[in-house]
Amino acid sequence: MSSQGLKGKGSRQCPVCGKGELVPVDDIVSEIDGYTFVERGRRCSNCGEEFIPEEESQRMIKVARRLGLWGEPLKLRRKLSRSGRGTVLRIPSDIERSLGIRGDEEVTISKAGRKIIVEIG
């Protein structure tokens, strides 16, 4: 969650639960593609909600970009085809290799607006 609005002086009450105080911590863990990042921020003493300042988030993004983990998502154009009563989407072999897909994995398919989200495993 962004820390925007949390920079003012005075009480740092948790905007989520409204009960706890936001205390400074230096052990907020984020994970991207198997890499673990430890960041500084604030944590609610009551509900445990964590808030990372914008500067800290930008620092983590900069490191992730250097590692090749953060960038524009890969977008490819593909045509859908019909098979029986369903629609088929072919996954290109380079994406299969990069994700380690063998072709027998279970996937979860969901819809978000006009986007289709496919999650492996």
Side-chain angles (χ1 to χ4, degrees):
M1 180 175 259
S2 172
S3 65
Q4 210 165 12
L6 299 175
K7 293 183 179 181
K9 295 187 181 193
S11 175
R12 294 200 182 248
Q13 187 175 22
C14 178
V16 175
C17 71
K19 298 176 184 175
E21 292 293 315
L22 297 181
V23 295
V25 294
D26 58 2
D27 63 349
I28 298 175
V29 177
S30 301
E31 188 177 316
I32 300 174
D33 282 348
Y35 287 83
T36 302
F37 295 87
V38 181
E39 302 168 285
R40 293 182 192 100
R42 294 186 176 269
R43 183 178 297 127
C44 175
S45 60
N46 182 60
C47 69
E49 186 72 28
E50 296 173 329
F51 300 87
I52 301 170
E54 181 68 24
E55 323 69 72
E56 191 73 6
S57 294
Q58 290 303 318
R59 185 185 66 80
M60 187 268 304
I61 290 169
K62 192 180 214 179
V63 171
R65 278 195 178 123
R66 267 191 247 134
L67 291 170
L69 304 173
W70 193 281
E72 289 300 312
L74 179 61
K75 291 186 179 184
L76 301 172
R77 294 203 175 268
R78 291 287 179 251
K79 286 211 177 238
L80 298 174
S81 59
R82 299 291 300 172
S83 175
R85 293 187 300 172
T87 302
V88 176
L89 171 64
R90 188 182 68 77
I91 298 173
S93 59
D94 56 336
I95 292 179
E96 283 182 317
R97 278 191 302 275
S98 71
L99 293 173
I101 297 173
R102 296 178 315 273
D104 60 352
E105 292 83 2
E106 269 194 38
V107 297
T108 303
I109 301 171
S110 54
K111 174 184 158 307
R114 294 213 20 97
K115 292 184 180 189
I116 298 170
I117 300 166
V118 179
E119 297 175 270
I120 302 167

